Amino acid sequence: MSNSLATPDFRFRRLRRTTALRELVRETHLRMTDFILPIFVEEGISEPVAIKSMPDVFRYPEAQLAAVVQRAWDKGVRAIILFGVSTHKDEIGSDTFAKDGLLARMIRIAKTAQPDMLVISDNCFCEYTTHGHCGVLHKIIGDKQNDVDNDATLKNLQKQVVLAAQAGADMIAPSGMMDGMISAIRQALDIAGFTHIPIMSYSTKFASAFYGPFRDAVDSTFKGTRNTYQMDPANAREALAESLQDEAEGADILMVKPGLAYLDVLAEIRAHSSRPLAVYQVSGEYAMIKAGAAAGVIDEKAIVLETMIAFKRAGANLIITYYAEKLADWV
Ligand code: PBG
C-alpha cells in the first residue's frame, strides 16, 4: 500500500500511551536491596565532620557508628561498607591488622548495633599509612621508590582480611588493586576457617579524578598518584581482563569503580561474567549532582533515579552509593 505519509513498519509508541502500559513493559527496576551505603568513621573526632563538597555525607566519630547503622537500617538500608580514617598511621598500615585497631572495632560495633545488617569491610591501607598509598612501599631506592610493593602488600592484606572476618565482617571487599589479591585473600580466609565469607573485589578500579572530593575529605596528606596500581581510564580491554582475572581467582562479586563514566565497561563485564556485578558511584559523581541541584540547574531526585537505572541497565546488580539512605524516600 503506497502512502505519501509513510508510517514506520512498527509503532513503538503503542506501548508508551499510558503510565500503566509503560510500567508493564519497563525492563529495569530499582529496589532498596540493590544499594550499599558507604560509612566513614574517623578517629579523634567527637562530632560528625561534614564533607564540604558532599552535602549530607559525614565522617562520624566511632561513638556514633552504632546509631548511624541503626538509622540506616530503619530507613531500609540492608548493606553497608565501612571506611576507617585512622590517626594510628605508620609505614605499612599495621593498624588494619591489629586486634583492636579501627578496622576491627568498626566491624564489631556495626554488627553489634544491627546483626542483620550486611557489613562489608573495605580492605585497603591508604587511610592507615603515613604515605597514603594502598600498600607497603618498596625498600629499594631508585625507580621503584614510592611505588607499592605488590607481594609484600598481599601478606599484610591476608592478615587484615582474617582479622576483619574474625571481627564479624559478612563480606571482604579489597580495593587496593594489587595483582593476585583475590587468590591471596581466598587462601588466607579458607585457612583461617572462613570458607563461607564472600569476596567482593574492586576488580576494575580506575585511577580517576572522580575521587577528588573523597581525597579532599580524608586524604589531604596524600600527594602522589595511584597510577601504578589503579587502571588507566583509557583501557577497556584491560578492564575486562582485570575483572575476569579476579573471577578466575575466586571473587564472588566483581565491581567497576567509578560508575557513570564507565557504563561501557560495566556492560562488557556483564556480558562476559556470570558473577554478580557491583558499581561504585563515587564522591565526584555525588558531588556533581549535589552541586547541580544546589545551583538549580537539575532535578536531583530525577537525575539520581535516572543514574541508578542507567547503572542497572548497563549490567550492575548492586550499587554502592552515598544516596543509599535517601533512595528509601524515592524508590
Ligand atoms: C582508596 C579509596 C578510594 C576511594 C575510597 N577508598 C579511591 C582513591 O582514593 O583512590 C574513593 C571513594 C569515593 O571517591 O567515593 N582505597
Side-chain angles (χ1 to χ4, degrees):
M1 195 174 37
S2 100
N3 183 344
S4 56
L5 293 171
T7 54
D9 291 342
F10 187 82
R11 291 180 180 268
F12 286 93
R13 292 185 58 196
R14 275 194 293 259
L15 293 181
R16 296 175 195 156
R17 197 171 56 84
T18 69
T19 304
L21 258 175
R22 288 190 296 271
E23 285 176 352
L24 189 74
V25 298
R26 183 162 296 149
E27 299 174 31
T28 311
H29 301 271
L30 300 173
R31 303 165 306 171
M32 272 311 280
T33 47
D34 296 330
F35 306 122
I36 300 169
L37 176 70
I39 298 176
F40 298 112
V41 177
E42 183 166 345
E43 284 183 326
I45 59 174
S46 51
E47 293 297 327
V49 178
I51 302 176
K52 228 170 91 195
S53 59
M54 300 175 71
D56 306 327
V57 178
F58 298 86
R59 284 123 66 197
Y60 292 99
E62 211 174 325
Q64 291 185 20
L65 176 57
V68 169
V69 171
Q70 190 56 48
R71 185 188 69 199
W73 177 268
D74 292 342
K75 269 278 196 171
V77 172
R78 291 295 176 264
I80 59 173
I81 182 161
L82 297 173
F83 292 88
V85 183
S86 175
T87 55
H88 294 84
K89 299 181 198 246
D90 62 19
E91 284 286 304
I92 62 170
S94 65
D95 192 64
T96 61
F97 47 89
K99 250 200 181 60
D100 285 309
L102 178 60
L103 188 116
R105 296 200 308 272
M106 291 189 302
I107 296 166
R108 286 196 290 263
I109 292 168
K111 280 311 282 185
T112 307
Q114 182 41 260
D116 292 330
M117 181 73 92
L118 187 91
V119 174
I120 305 170
S121 175
D122 178 87
N123 292 107
C124 197
F125 296 94
C126 50
E127 305 317 324
Y128 300 84
T129 52
T130 41
H131 44 73
H133 278 288
C134 300
V136 184
L137 298 186
H138 275 287
K139 291 207 178 67
I140 328 158
I141 312 294
D143 60 356
K144 281 187 166 173
Q145 196 180 15
N146 289 327
D147 196 8
V148 173
D149 182 335
N150 194 90
D151 298 3
T153 300
L154 293 185
K155 292 207 170 67
N156 291 342
L157 191 56
Q158 288 181 314
K159 294 188 233 174
Q160 184 189 124
V161 299
V162 168
L163 188 94
Q166 284 166 344
D170 295 299
M171 187 145 71
I172 297 301
S175 56
M177 286 293 284
M178 294 301 123
D179 287 323
M181 66 181 184
I182 303 305
S183 323
I185 289 170
R186 188 71 270 161
Q187 188 186 33
L189 289 175
D190 290 354
I191 288 171
F194 296 105
T195 53
H196 57 293
I197 296 297
I199 303 168
M200 174 167 72
S201 179
Y202 287 70
S203 54
T204 296
K205 179 176 177 180
F206 291 95
S208 171
F210 285 98
Y211 308 143
F214 171 86
R215 297 239 183 122
D216 289 346
V218 307
D219 257 1
S220 45
T221 56
F222 179 66
K223 293 284 184 284
T225 74
R226 308 201 204 285
N227 296 345
T228 70
Y229 38 105
Q230 296 180 350
M231 278 202 52
D232 183 342
N235 292 2
R237 285 196 313 267
E238 186 188 353
L240 176 62
E242 264 279 4
S243 274
L244 293 183
Q245 174 67 32
D246 282 10
E247 175 172 358
E249 288 181 33
D252 299 276
I253 299 177
L254 305 176
M255 192 197 300
V256 174
K257 178 182 180 177
L260 205 53
Y262 299 91
L263 296 183
D264 58 325
V265 175
L266 265 179
E268 189 71 2
I269 296 172
R270 178 68 295 152
H272 288 88
S273 173
S274 57
R275 293 274 173 273
L277 181 56
V279 64
Y280 198 138
Q281 182 192 46
V282 301
S283 56
E285 300 178 68
Y286 178 90
M288 288 188 340
I289 296 174
K290 281 288 185 188
V297 294
I298 53 159
D299 174 342
E300 182 183 18
K301 174 184 169 184
I303 291 277
V304 170
L305 290 175
E306 189 173 327
T307 306
M308 296 298 148
I309 283 287
F311 289 145
K312 291 199 74 179
R313 192 196 63 237
N317 310 106
L318 313 167
I319 303 169
I320 304 174
T321 173
Y322 303 102
Y323 275 110
E325 248 183 302
K326 189 67 197 162
L327 276 157
D329 299 330
W330 291 343
V331 301

